[in-house]
Amino acid sequence: MTTAEAQAAGGRAARPEAREGARGAFDVERVRAEFPILARPVRGKPLAYLDSAATAQKPRAVIDAMRRYYEEDNANVHRGVHLLSERATRLYDGARVKVARFLGAADPHEVVFVRGTTEAVNLVAQTFGRQRVGPGDEILVTELEHHSNIVPWQLLCQEKGATLRAAPVTDAGDLDVEALDRLIGPRTRLVAVAHVSNALGTVNPVAEIVARAHAKGVPVLVDGAQAVPHLAVDLPALGADFYAFSGHKLYGPTGIGVLWGRKALLDELPPWQGGGDMILSVSFEKTTFNAVPHRFEAGTPHIAGAVGLAAAIDWLSAVGLEAAAAHEDALLGYALDALREVPGLRLIGTPRRRAGVISFLPGDVHPHDAGTILDRHGVAVRAGHHCAQPLMRRMGVAATVRASFAAYSTRADVDALVRGLHAVREVFA
């Protein structure tokens, strides 16, 4: 995806470090050398890891930062007066500042650390949703959504007597943006939409979606789990009210993620879990709660995870997000051309703008069978419904094979995938 396309989709002009990275040639082999796991063989074959949409591999910089934290700084945060606690607190709070800068957010207090995108969506459903949704109201999602951006709203709607509606997608896998004007009505309380589809790679025009929703006074939550590794997110340009993503898809560790919310909105929301830093004072008669973001971070947080996430952001900034995105875009084009040459293969979805993901059917072979044979050839892909069953039904399939890309992916990975698919054909001939 080009920079212009990224901006149209709600991305922002590249940060200075990204532009710097884009000017030089992208040395993918140098990038790969920073990922220890990519050097390991799988079933006696070189690893072709094409499952980065499920989770990205981790560069040495992230692994070392987390090891260093545990070896040198491990302590709890915001409650000790000793040196280690002060150092851990500085690292944890510093990670929040780094995330805010990464998203273009003005205030680090708008950054809430959570376990991942799923928890972020649930947090909004259980606070904003419970506070503002009532009988007869509506939540609007799209047919492109991951289950994590469907089920929390279903649970809320069932509890409140509200209705969950879904904006349609076209046969190509693009969101029908025009339909939003018809579907967003006086009872719509929130629009919840993915920035990038995890199953098709469709890049939604988030800024336009937000503008249409805001024109009717409806706030918007964006699931950015699949966007942040590929797009330079600019929250002011997007205009959204909530933005969520997971650290492990951004080359960071599992178990850490981010909910960003407008400060004024977060300030109005009640807590959703009790204990730890979310408390100011407690008596048996009454508890008073901390300010945001601490109000939403109950218990001991995932400190090492925040440290690792900050290291991942540093690593990606040093590589250059725009340069990595350009590399991935070229690789997607190469992969699409190569896959079209595989007899019987059917691509699922041909969205106008795509990032990081290709879904396909290998002829009449079940995706699970194809994925198993590909694994025997060292090729790691995802096979199944990708936690997007409504979208699979919309596209007329039960499951697909999904190849997904990252900054470390190469043409050799794609070539291994194609060779593996020919082997699949031979097995099922």
Side-chain angles (χ1 to χ4, degrees):
M1 193 172 67
T2 66
T3 301
E5 288 171 335
Q7 289 175 297
R12 64 175 161 172
R15 290 180 289 276
E17 63 270 27
R19 289 197 297 271
E20 183 64 30
R23 278 197 286 270
F26 187 82
D27 187 345
V28 66
E29 292 303 329
R30 184 174 177 181
V31 169
R32 286 179 66 84
E34 298 182 46
F35 290 80
I37 200 171
L38 296 179
R40 84 183 298 278
V42 168
R43 303 192 188 281
K45 304 287 177 57
L47 171 61
Y49 187 77
L50 294 173
D51 197 19
S52 296
T55 193
Q57 298 299 346
K58 320 308 175 195
R60 176 68 71 188
V62 170
I63 298 168
D64 287 349
M66 297 182 71
R67 177 186 52 76
R68 191 163 52 245
Y69 164 74
Y70 279 124
E71 289 183 350
E72 301 178 8
D73 302 310
N74 180 51
N76 216 324
V77 295
H78 301 150
R79 60 197 69 176
V81 295
H82 54 83
L83 177 64
L84 292 186
S85 181
E86 291 175 359
R87 288 172 64 93
T89 298
R90 197 157 51 241
L91 288 169
Y92 184 72
D93 291 344
R96 197 187 309 277
V97 172
K98 198 153 288 182
V99 169
R101 288 177 182 162
F102 180 71
L103 297 176
D107 186 350
H109 293 90
E110 295 176 325
V111 173
V112 179
F113 284 126
V114 290
R115 287 188 297 162
T117 307
T118 299
E119 185 170 83
V121 175
N122 276 276
L123 192 162
V124 176
Q126 293 301 312
T127 56
F128 175 91
R130 280 189 165 181
Q131 189 181 62
R132 303 209 181 184
V133 175
D137 288 340
E138 297 175 351
I139 301 291
L140 180 62
V141 296
T142 82
E143 290 181 333
L144 283 166
E145 302 309 313
H146 188 281
H147 295 167
S148 294
N149 200 27
I150 297 173
V151 177
W153 308 115
Q154 277 181 334
L155 293 171
L156 176 72
C157 288
Q158 289 166 7
E159 176 185 327
K160 295 291 187 178
T163 300
L164 182 67
R165 307 189 71 183
V169 299
T170 68
D171 292 343
D174 288 307
L175 179 65
D176 182 355
V177 179
E178 300 294 329
L180 295 176
D181 292 334
R182 171 173 47 84
L183 291 168
I184 300 174
R187 303 307 300 265
T188 308
R189 293 293 172 260
L190 183 78
V191 173
V193 59
H195 199 163
V196 173
S197 162
N198 74 304
L200 304 182
T202 306
V203 180
N204 278 325
V206 169
E208 181 182 353
I209 294 168
V210 171
R212 289 174 185 264
H214 282 185
K216 297 189 177 183
V218 177
V220 178
L221 175 144
V222 179
D223 170 358
Q226 299 294 340
V228 287
H230 309 293
L231 307 177
V233 174
D234 182 357
L235 290 175
L238 288 176
D241 302 279
F242 298 104
Y243 196 94
F245 72 90
S246 300
H248 71 100
K249 296 181 181 182
L250 189 66
Y251 309 102
T254 55
I256 187 74
V258 167
L259 171 67
W260 170 87
R262 292 187 185 281
K263 182 69 163 42
L265 267 175
L266 293 177
D267 283 339
E268 294 177 5
L269 301 183
W272 79 306
Q273 293 177 334
D277 263 357
M278 55 83 67
I279 292 162
L280 280 182
S281 67
V282 176
S283 71
F284 286 113
E285 290 73 33
K286 182 180 180 182
T287 297
T288 58
F289 301 111
N290 209 339
V292 296
H294 308 295
R295 186 190 307 163
F296 303 112
E297 295 179 2
T300 296
H302 187 6
I303 306 164
V307 170
L309 176 57
I313 290 172
D314 283 342
W315 177 84
L316 186 54
S317 297
V319 168
L321 181 53
E322 187 174 292
H327 164 72
E328 292 167 17
D329 188 49
L331 193 60
L332 277 171
Y334 178 78
L336 285 167
D337 289 342
L339 291 172
R340 288 189 182 103
E341 296 300 318
V342 177
L345 186 141
R346 175 185 160 202
L347 294 170
I348 304 300
T350 54
R352 289 190 295 269
R353 294 190 294 271
R354 182 201 297 263
V357 170
I358 298 173
S359 266
F360 58 89
L361 289 178
D364 295 330
V365 181
H366 193 283
H368 284 171
D369 293 332
T372 300
I373 294 172
L374 288 169
D375 175 61
R376 302 296 176 191
H377 289 77
V379 180
V381 295
R382 176 84 178 262
H385 53 63
H386 316 300
C387 299
Q389 288 178 305
L391 177 60
M392 293 292 107
R393 281 192 287 273
R394 169 62 184 88
M395 304 307 287
V397 298
T400 70
V401 176
R402 182 186 72 183
S404 53
F405 304 87
Y408 45 69
S409 304
T410 66
R411 289 190 175 200
D413 293 334
V414 174
D415 294 342
L417 171 64
V418 171
R419 286 195 302 274
L421 288 169
H422 283 297
V424 171
R425 280 177 45 81
E426 291 174 6
V427 170
F428 286 92

